[in-house]
C-alpha cells in the first residue's frame, strides 16, 4: 500500500477519554451525527449542513477505503496523510458519471480534483468537528488545530481583499469588450451589477444566489424622514435573516441591469425572479407558445441563477478575462487570478475600516455573528448603520 496510507496508520495514538458528553455513541460516525444535530439546532443554513455532510461522506469513504485509524485516534500524521491524499491522489478516484452512492465504484469526488480553497474549507470544517469532540471529552486533543494556523505574512495580514486598481481594471475590460449579441448585452449589465453589489455590500455568494428581486425595498427613517434602499437577506450564514444598505452606485447598476432585461426599474410585489438572472430564457410550459428565444426574451421569461457556484463562476470569469487582458506579468493579474467572491466581501470590510469607521459599526455592517471576527456586538440597528455610512460618504 502507498506510503501515504501506511505511514499514517503507524503513529502511536493517545488513549481516548473514558467519559464524554456525546451519549451512547458506538463509533466516530455516530459521534459526527451528534455534532451535526447540535449544529442543526442552532440553527445553521441548509447549505452549511449540506457542506458538512459532504465532508462526512469524504471522511467515511477515505477511512473505509484505506482502513486508516479511527478518527478518535487521529494524530498529526493522520491529518497530514489525509490532506496529502486530497491534494495529490483524488484524481485517481474520480467518480464515474451517473453512479449512485450505493454503487461499488462510487466515490465522493465527482470532479477528480480539489482546489486549495476546497481543501482549506475541509480543514476549517474538520477543525470545528474535532474541537467539538475535544470540548465534549470524546477526544483529548484536536490535531486539526495546527493545520488551521498559518504564518502572518505581509500578504495575509491585510486579508484577501481586491485592491481598487484591480477592480478598476475589471471594469475597464468589461466596458471595452465587444457586445455583439443580445446575450452579450445582457451578460454585461448583469455582471456589472453583481460585481458592484458584492463589492459595495459584502454579500456572500450563497446569500446573493438565494435573494429575490422583491428583496430590494425601501426602509423609511422616522428620525430623518429619509428613505434608504436596502436588501433583505433571507438566507444568512448560520441561519436567520438580515438586511444590508444599497447605496446609489448599487441602485444605479440595479436599474440599468433591470432595464437591459426589459424589466421596470422597481420590482413588482408579485415578481417571481431571483436577484441574479441568466441571459438565457426559460422554456415555456406550453410547447406551442414562445418557442423561440427572441419571443421568450420579449416576454421576459428569464431563468434565475440560484447556486453560489454560478455566482462564483460569474465573478471568476470576469476576473480571469481581465487578468488575460492586462497581461500575465501584471501584479493586478496575479491578484485577479486568485480572487473570488469572498475576496469581494473582504474588500468591503477593508474599505469600511480604512474609511475610519468604528470597528463595531464595521461588524454590524458586515453582519458578523462571531464577535471575534471584528468586535463585540453592539446595539446598533440597521438605521444606525445606514445613517453613519450615509454621513461618511457625503
Amino acid at each position: 500500500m502507498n506510503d501515504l496510507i501506511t505511514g499514517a496508520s503507524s503513529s502511536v495514538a493517545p488513549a481516548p477519554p473514558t467519559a464524554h458528553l456525546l451519549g451512547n455513541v458506538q463509533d466516530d460516525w455516530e459521534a459526527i451525527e451528534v455534532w451535526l444535530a447540535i449544529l442543526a439546532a442552532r440553527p445553521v443554513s441548509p447549505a452549511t449542513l449540506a457542506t458538512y455532510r459532504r465532508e462526512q461522506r469524504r471522511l467515511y469513504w477515505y477511512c473505509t477505503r484505506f482502513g486508516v485509524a479511527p478518527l478518535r485516534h487521529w494524530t498529526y500524521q493522520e491529518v497530514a496523510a489525509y490532506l496529502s491524499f486530497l491534494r495529490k491522489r483524488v484524481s485517481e478516484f474520480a467518480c464515474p458519471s451517473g453512479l449512485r452512492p450505493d454503487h461499488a465504484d462510487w466515490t465522493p469526488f465527482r470532479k477528480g480534483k480539489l482546489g486549495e480553497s476546497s481543501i482549506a474549507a475541509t480543514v476549517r470544517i474538520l477543525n470545528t468537528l474535532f474541537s467539538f469532540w475535544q470540548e465534549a471529552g470524546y477526544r483529548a486533543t484536536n490535531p486539526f488545530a495546527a493545520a488551521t494556523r498559518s504564518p502572518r505574512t505581509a500578504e495575509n495580514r491585510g486579508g484577501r481583499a481586491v485592491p481598487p486598481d484591480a477592480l478598476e481594471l475589471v471594469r475597464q475590460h468589461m466596458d471595452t469588450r465587444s457586445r455583439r449579441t443580445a446575450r452579450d448585452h445582457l451578460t454585461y449589465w448583469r455582471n456589472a451589477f453583481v460585481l458592484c453589489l458584492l463589492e459595495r455590500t459584502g454579500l456572500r455568494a450563497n446569500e446573493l444566489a438565494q435573494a429575490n428581486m422583491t428583496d430590494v425595498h425601501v426602509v423609511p427613517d422616522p428620525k430623518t424622514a429619509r428613505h434608504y434602499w436596502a436588501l433583505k437577506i433571507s438566507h444568512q450564514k448560520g441561519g436567520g435573516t438580515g438586511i444590508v444598505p444599497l447605496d446609489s452606485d448599487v441602485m444605479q447598476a440595479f436599474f440599468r441591469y433591470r432595464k437591459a432585461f426589459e424589466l421596470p426599474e422597481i420590482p413588482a410585489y408579485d415578481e417571481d425572479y431571483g436577484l441574479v438572472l441568466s441571459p438565457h430564457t426559460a422554456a415555456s410550459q406550453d410547447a406551442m407558445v414562445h418557442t423561440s428565444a427572441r419571443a421568450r426574451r420579449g416576454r421576459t421569461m428569464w431563468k434565475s441563477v440560484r447556486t453560489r457556484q454560478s455566482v462564483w463562476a460569474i465573478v471568476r470569469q470576469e476576473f480571469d478575462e481581465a487578468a488575460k487582458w492586462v497581461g500575465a506579468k501584471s501584479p493586478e493579474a496575479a491578484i485577479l487570478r486568485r480572487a473570488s467572491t469572498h475576496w469581494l466581501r473582504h474588500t468591503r470590510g477593508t474599505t469600511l475600516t480604512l474609511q475610519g469607521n468604528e470597528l463595531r459599526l464595521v461588524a454590524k455592517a458586515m453582519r458578523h455573528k462571531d464577535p471575534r471576527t471584528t468586535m463585540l456586538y453592539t446595539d446598533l440597528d440597521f438605521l444606525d448603520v445606514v445613517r453613519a455610512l450615509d454621513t461618511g460618504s457625503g
Side-chain angles (χ1 to χ4, degrees), residues 68-79:
V68 300
L71 298 178
R72 64 182 178 275
H73 293 157
W74 272 27
T75 61
Y76 292 141
Q77 287 86 346
E78 279 79 24
V79 169

Side-chain angles (χ1 to χ4, degrees), residues 194-250:
V194 167
L195 288 172
C196 182
L197 180 68
L198 291 173
E199 178 196 356
R200 307 287 290 189
T201 65
L203 279 176
R204 300 175 179 91
N206 185 62
E207 294 171 340
L208 176 52
Q210 296 302 315
N212 297 314
M213 289 286 188
T214 51
D215 290 330
V216 177
H217 64 288
V218 170
V219 177
D221 184 354
K223 182 182 291 188
T224 65
R226 294 190 61 177
H227 291 74
Y228 297 100
W229 286 102
L231 177 68
K232 176 185 176 183
I233 310 298
S234 300
H235 298 273
Q236 285 198 132
K237 181 179 180 181
T241 61
I243 186 171
V244 295
L246 304 178
D247 64 21
S248 59
D249 289 342
V250 174

Side-chain angles (χ1 to χ4, degrees), residues 247-268:
D247 64 21
S248 59
D249 289 342
V250 174
M251 292 309 301
Q252 287 301 316
F254 179 66
F255 294 147
R256 290 191 291 262
Y257 159 50
R258 285 182 59 84
K259 181 179 179 180
F261 279 78
E262 300 184 16
L263 297 171
E265 280 193 350
I266 309 300

Side-chain angles (χ1 to χ4, degrees), residues 263-383:
L263 297 171
E265 280 193 350
I266 309 300
Y269 74 94
D270 58 348
E271 202 172 273
D272 189 25
Y273 289 126
L275 187 56
V276 182
L277 297 176
S278 169
H280 298 286
T281 53
S284 173
Q285 293 181 352
D286 187 346
M288 302 300 294
V289 182
H290 312 308
T291 55
S292 71
R294 177 177 293 181
R296 292 195 295 271
R297 285 196 296 270
R299 300 282 293 182
T300 63
M301 298 170 63
W302 306 112
K303 292 181 180 179
S304 296
V305 173
R306 287 299 194 186
T307 67
R308 62 181 177 180
Q309 292 85 355
S310 296
V311 172
W312 180 88
I314 289 170
V315 173
R316 280 294 336 140
Q317 180 179 359
E318 294 296 349
F319 283 0
D320 285 338
E321 291 188 8
K324 293 177 183 177
W325 178 67
V326 75
K329 295 183 179 180
S330 166
E332 289 83 8
I335 293 171
L336 291 173
R337 284 195 297 268
R338 297 167 51 224
S340 66
T341 52
H342 205 70
W343 280 45
L344 291 174
R345 178 167 170 80
H346 288 303
T347 300
R348 177 59 173 164
T350 300
T351 299
L352 290 173
T353 303
L354 292 177
Q355 287 174 347
N357 295 296
E358 292 185 4
L359 287 182
R360 58 177 184 165
L361 175 65
V362 177
K364 202 67 176 178
M366 297 297 293
R367 296 170 293 117
H368 287 150
K369 291 192 174 182
D370 187 341
R372 293 171 296 181
T373 306
T374 43
M375 275 189 63
L376 295 175
Y377 285 171
T378 70
D379 56 357
L380 293 173
D381 64 10
F382 170 77
L383 290 174

Side-chain angles (χ1 to χ4, degrees), residues 56-88:
Q56 176 197 33
R57 290 192 297 271
R58 287 176 179 172
L59 266 180
Y60 182 81
W61 179 90
Y62 173 81
C63 292
T64 303
R65 173 68 173 77
F66 297 111
V68 300
L71 298 178
R72 64 182 178 275
H73 293 157
W74 272 27
T75 61
Y76 292 141
Q77 287 86 346
E78 279 79 24
V79 169
Y82 183 52
L83 297 182
S84 180
F85 169 80
L86 295 179
R87 287 189 173 93
K88 300 178 181 179

Side-chain angles (χ1 to χ4, degrees), residues 25-283:
V25 296
Q26 301 300 313
D27 53 32
D28 296 332
W29 314 112
E30 290 189 9
I32 289 180
E33 291 298 330
V34 175
W35 172 62
L36 292 173
I38 294 294
L39 289 175
R42 289 184 180 179
V44 298
S45 69
T48 299
L49 277 178
T51 301
Y52 289 4
R53 283 287 184 189
R54 180 192 63 195
E55 296 300 335
Q56 176 197 33
R57 290 192 297 271
R58 287 176 179 172
L59 266 180
Y60 182 81
W61 179 90
Y62 173 81
C63 292
T64 303
R65 173 68 173 77
F66 297 111
V68 300
L71 298 178
R72 64 182 178 275
H73 293 157
W74 272 27
T75 61
Y76 292 141
Q77 287 86 346
E78 279 79 24
V79 169
Y82 183 52
L83 297 182
S84 180
F85 169 80
L86 295 179
R87 287 189 173 93
K88 300 178 181 179
R89 297 194 58 196
V90 163
S91 60
E92 302 172 28
F93 303 97
C95 186
S97 177
L99 290 191
R100 297 177 61 85
D102 56 357
H103 193 281
D105 294 329
W106 177 88
T107 79
F109 306 106
R110 291 186 300 172
K111 296 182 179 180
K113 182 180 179 181
L114 294 180
E116 282 301 318
S117 60
S118 295
I119 295 173
T122 292
V123 171
R124 289 193 298 269
I125 292 170
L126 296 184
N127 178 54
T128 303
L129 167 63
F130 277 69
S131 292
F132 172 79
W133 278 353
Q134 184 179 8
E135 292 175 3
Y138 186 72
R139 279 189 54 102
T141 57
N142 173 14
F144 276 92
T148 61
R149 294 193 291 266
S150 60
R152 299 285 290 176
T153 63
E155 178 182 0
N156 63 29
R157 272 197 297 269
R160 293 185 172 183
V162 186
D165 290 348
L167 287 173
E168 183 59 29
L169 286 173
V170 175
R171 295 190 184 94
Q172 290 177 12
H173 174 257
M174 293 177 66
D175 291 341
T176 57
R177 187 170 58 205
S178 174
R179 299 194 290 274
R180 300 176 182 176
T181 66
R183 179 181 173 186
D184 292 339
H185 178 74
L186 296 171
T187 299
Y188 169 81
W189 291 109
R190 189 273 311 275
N191 291 6
F193 167 70
V194 167
L195 288 172
C196 182
L197 180 68
L198 291 173
E199 178 196 356
R200 307 287 290 189
T201 65
L203 279 176
R204 300 175 179 91
N206 185 62
E207 294 171 340
L208 176 52
Q210 296 302 315
N212 297 314
M213 289 286 188
T214 51
D215 290 330
V216 177
H217 64 288
V218 170
V219 177
D221 184 354
K223 182 182 291 188
T224 65
R226 294 190 61 177
H227 291 74
Y228 297 100
W229 286 102
L231 177 68
K232 176 185 176 183
I233 310 298
S234 300
H235 298 273
Q236 285 198 132
K237 181 179 180 181
T241 61
I243 186 171
V244 295
L246 304 178
D247 64 21
S248 59
D249 289 342
V250 174
M251 292 309 301
Q252 287 301 316
F254 179 66
F255 294 147
R256 290 191 291 262
Y257 159 50
R258 285 182 59 84
K259 181 179 179 180
F261 279 78
E262 300 184 16
L263 297 171
E265 280 193 350
I266 309 300
Y269 74 94
D270 58 348
E271 202 172 273
D272 189 25
Y273 289 126
L275 187 56
V276 182
L277 297 176
S278 169
H280 298 286
T281 53

